[in-house]
Amino acid sequence: MSTSGVVVPSTAAGFTHPRRRRDGTVGAVLFGTSSSTIGTVLLAVIVFVAIFGTSISPYDPRDVVARPYLAPSAAHWLGTNDIGQDIFSEILWGTRVSLLIGLIAATAAIVVGTLVGVVASLAGGLVDQVLMRFTDVVLTLPFLPLAIVLAAFLGPSLWNTALVIALVIWARPARVVRSQGLSICSRTYVEAAHALGGGFFHVLRLHVVPGVIPLALSQFILATSGAILTEASLAFLGLGDPIQKSWGTILYYAQARGAFLNGTWPWWVLPPGFLISATVLGFALVGRSLESVLMPRLRQH
Amino acid sequence: MHVLTRIAVAALAWSLLASAWAVNHGLPMRMAITQDEGTLTPYTYQTGYPGYELMTLIYEQLFLMDEDLVPQPWLAASLDIHDDVHYRIELREGVMWQDGTPFTADDVAFSIGYYQTHVLGRFTTSANKVVDVEVASDLEVTLTLAAPDAGFVQTGLADLPMLPRHVWEGIDEPRNMTEAMGTGPYRLIEYQPEQFYRLAANDEYWGPEPAFDTLIAAVIRDETATFQALQAGEIDVAVRPVPAGTVERFEAARDIDVQQGAGFPSTILIMDVTQPGLDDVRVRQVIASSIDYVRLVDILLLGYGTLGTPGFLHPANPFANPDTAEYERITPEQVAGRLGEAGYTRGGDGVFENADGVRLAFEFLAPANNPTRLRAAELIALDLNAAGIRVTVRSIENEALVQRAWPDFDVSQGRDFELSMFGWSAPVNAQANLRGLLHSDTTKGTLNLSGYGDPEVDRLTDEALVTTDPDARRELLYRVQERLADDLPLITLFYQDGIYAYRPAAYDGWTYMAGQGIIHKGSFLRR
Amino acid sequence: MHWYLGRIGQYALVLLAALSLNFLLPRAMPGSPLRFLAGEDVGMLAPAQVAEIRARYGLDQSLGAQYVTYLRNMATGQWGFSYQLGKPVLAAIRDRLPWTLLLVGSSLLVATLFGIFVGALAAWRRGRGLDTASLTGAIVVDSLPTFWLGMILVAVFAVELRWLPIYGAYTPWGPRSGLPYLLDVLRHLALPATTLTLASLSGTFLVMRYAMLDTLGQDYIRTARSKGLPERQVLVKHAVRNALLPVSTVVFLNLGFLIGGATVIETVFSYPGVGTLLFQAVLNRDYPVLQGAFFILTVSVILANVIADLVYPILDPRVRGSGS
């Protein structure tokens, strides 16, 4: 669960893996255990909806197609919202926006975080000090006001929401990647490579990058689910872009336009929330599976 | 043993019931307000509504607006106006400050002077109209205005809360004032910032008996929480209007009553009339004529609203011109004809443009934290895009929007928008402040966000200001509204009806004040 | 000793950077606090009057001058007067902080105890029903949006069932002392605290479980077991005690984040904590309150870090040995 700003340490305490059915790495990650299979299926469905949702939706969710506040019916599976738009269609379209914001934010955050982490661990000394102190500052900053300032300053839009999220979540991957980088650098063969006159980029390319990539990948997956949750929280506080139909903005309008007052919340508020959870869950399950497959040290648990 | 237990249980249940009954009858009036209102003094209250109403339960004015928006003598007993500028006021006898000190003409003179020297928005503006104060006796004072002002009784005498001289004399920084004490029917007993105010009836009050022994004004910021609390019986009345989507449910509820009436707060579309495209009155007319106002009220307000009038004033306003009550509607075919006359033809993408390369494509600002206005913008965009005027709704944070539409609240600093959702609070309408809305001089047209200028409107509004004869004034304001309806620097979209809900079991003496609702002083007094 | 000095320097740096950002960010926001200084009808003021107000609140000075004033004032405890609340910022924060501490503290306490207990149990019964169920539960709860869960809890328990109050920290017209007051406060606390507890549950649980598994695999546990000590004693005396080490760090780190993170939950429940104070100050451009609340949050995060730093060596003799 994401209370904005609360970052529960993503430790490697994943599910146990008593029986691995597949040996191929990708297969093991996606279908190695029952939990990863659930995660994969969830993600597959969500991605399918994100890609084809706009074609399979019964209505254009921007059009006013019926009276406001209708209860679910054959014509409108999840009823209509406060201005008579079809909620089911809104949710289908919103899937793409929510997922996109999550992916864009996570990509940006991981790229920056990995770069900072790798550079800090490799360069060491002053560079490391400066980068890590800066990372600490970002980690210490109160998340919400930072987000509102940036959102208000940049103006709400899909890209800006993603940017705001990326700016507040890149620091943690940077720290994680740095410690991984440090542990790689301290290994004897890297030290040997250094001693043998291997240059900075040589060590980077041959040892550090391959060692860090799996970690960055699993951090990316966790960051995506975090970003999707954060987008929903921001939108709920009225800090997202209410013009873009995402799961978060559907919830914002539901709350702001009386879903909890006139009893429409069971079909207006519950479905977007469940979808957010399902997506986050899918990412979390696959991410943990990836972690335990790629990092053998953790496999013992 | 068993019998004893049963008796004990019964006794316990009975005493609980009895105490519940007793508590129920000693219960205070529980009212939900929208935000903190400071220490409830004239310098620390926050909102025009409901803060001003709450504050004036403690600090009173010389006149009081009644339910039909007619000023009635309140702390004043009578008023004679000589030569349009001399206001001789006889004060009511026997009025006491809540600490027992008599209220006198000295307090009136002091209050005017204090508002002049200690700046506060509307009070200072009103007080500055007074150039001379003459105290004739304890109960008689004459105010002299610099120039005739038709609205002075309403915007001055019925607006300025009187301050007790013996308390405020030494106060240099009124915003730090923590002690609220006036002549009013209620005393402030307890204040927990951001949480609640506890007021108690002033037993020594000179006027009608206060309706409640105790009045709790609890801050509930969230609209949903407010009405959930009303439904659950945690509060007895809410100062917020009921959202349209909830009215039906409240009307059906047996323990909740609903009152509905005209609402003066307006929702408008403002245009920067200095922008290319928007500087052409024909384009503005096409925009105004392409909006489906009926659908706005029907869908957005579920019918609980009044269609906007091209003359801005609400139809219930005594100064509203019945000839400027409705916007003309045109079909998409007519749009092409009208814009054709103005030199615009449809481009390849269906958007109109003229030979100079001016495209009728505009950014339309809507406040991100105001869902009703956001939704209105969405619906209007559907209408205008269908008509071939490309409108892109952009939601921006409310304060950011205000900063772009009204930088530092000073129209002389210009503006940075094309189209924007906006709204004016009830007083702009109640006071028929068309001069503020439309005058081209930025010191007079302080609300003229569109950058509009018209010599005829300037002349008419200047004249209306100093015309005290009601019929002559109305005639002038009618003409202003006609100019406004032709020139359309702003488009009045709708007026949301005031719908107020309360628990009649707690109190059912609420009366509806035109344009404002049930929260006004009259509702808090037994009459 | 050297290690402590380094940490102090580091926190001082974070503090200064955060302070500077606290100063700059609110001023980078579009929008002006004028409306909140001059009242709602600020539009009716003449420009000269506006200028006078700006001057009175120091808004007409250069940013540099405002910054120096700001730093000096923060250092000397003159956090200014709220534009909106009609009281000093420190007083406003003092009013709010206890509620946030109550909410965060009780949630953290329950979440920690529960997390430790279930985490230890899950690790002990690793791979069995309880382990799988609690792991699944933790991951599912972790995937719920906090504000959404809070809204649903209000809808069900406060609006439909009417078991618990909808908003606030206590009934304004209710009892103000003794047991009835305590019960009233607890009733108001129940829903937001439950939400926040769920929000922070999985972190402690997962770390505890992981640490337990680690400990249970250590030699001394095997030794203890082979000595024939009762299983319960092995578990509590040796395994749990050692597994608590990493958990303690997580708990204190969580504390700092929770104080700021409670903002969303306080908003949903209209709970009068620092979070709502901060959020309203942001919306109202109440710079002094904004800076004060920012500062408190930053300090609490740092404080939680410091406590974690201090507690860790006490709990772990190895660190203590090498640190001194």
Side-chain angles (χ1 to χ4, degrees), chain B residues 119-121 124 175 407-410 412-413, chain C residues 32-35 37-38 42-61 66:
Chain B
V119 173
L120 183 82
T124 301
R175 278 177 189 77
D408 282 350
F409 304 99
D410 177 4
S412 72
Q413 294 192 21
Chain C
S32 153
L34 263 186
R35 184 213 304 248
L37 294 177
V42 61
M44 297 181 183
L45 286 178
Q49 296 169 329
V50 171
E52 191 205 310
I53 290 172
R54 296 184 77 94
R56 177 148 27 124
Y57 288 93
L59 295 174
D60 57 338
Q61 298 169 357
Q66 287 188 44

Side-chain angles (χ1 to χ4, degrees), chain C residues 250-319:
Chain C
V250 174
V251 169
F252 288 110
L253 286 178
N254 262 353
L255 177 67
F257 284 117
L258 277 180
I259 290 180
T263 301
V264 180
I265 292 172
E266 287 179 7
T267 307
V268 170
F269 292 93
S270 309
Y271 206 77
V274 180
T276 37
L277 181 76
L278 177 88
F279 187 54
Q280 291 306 329
V282 170
L283 292 185
N284 293 339
R285 302 291 187 271
D286 195 340
Y287 293 157
V289 172
L290 194 53
Q291 286 161 351
F294 261 142
F295 189 66
I296 284 292
L297 292 182
T298 312
V299 167
S300 40
V301 176
I302 291 175
L303 226 75
N305 279 295
V306 170
I307 297 175
D309 285 345
L310 291 176
V311 165
Y312 199 76
I314 295 171
L315 291 180
D316 189 351
R318 284 165 299 180
V319 176

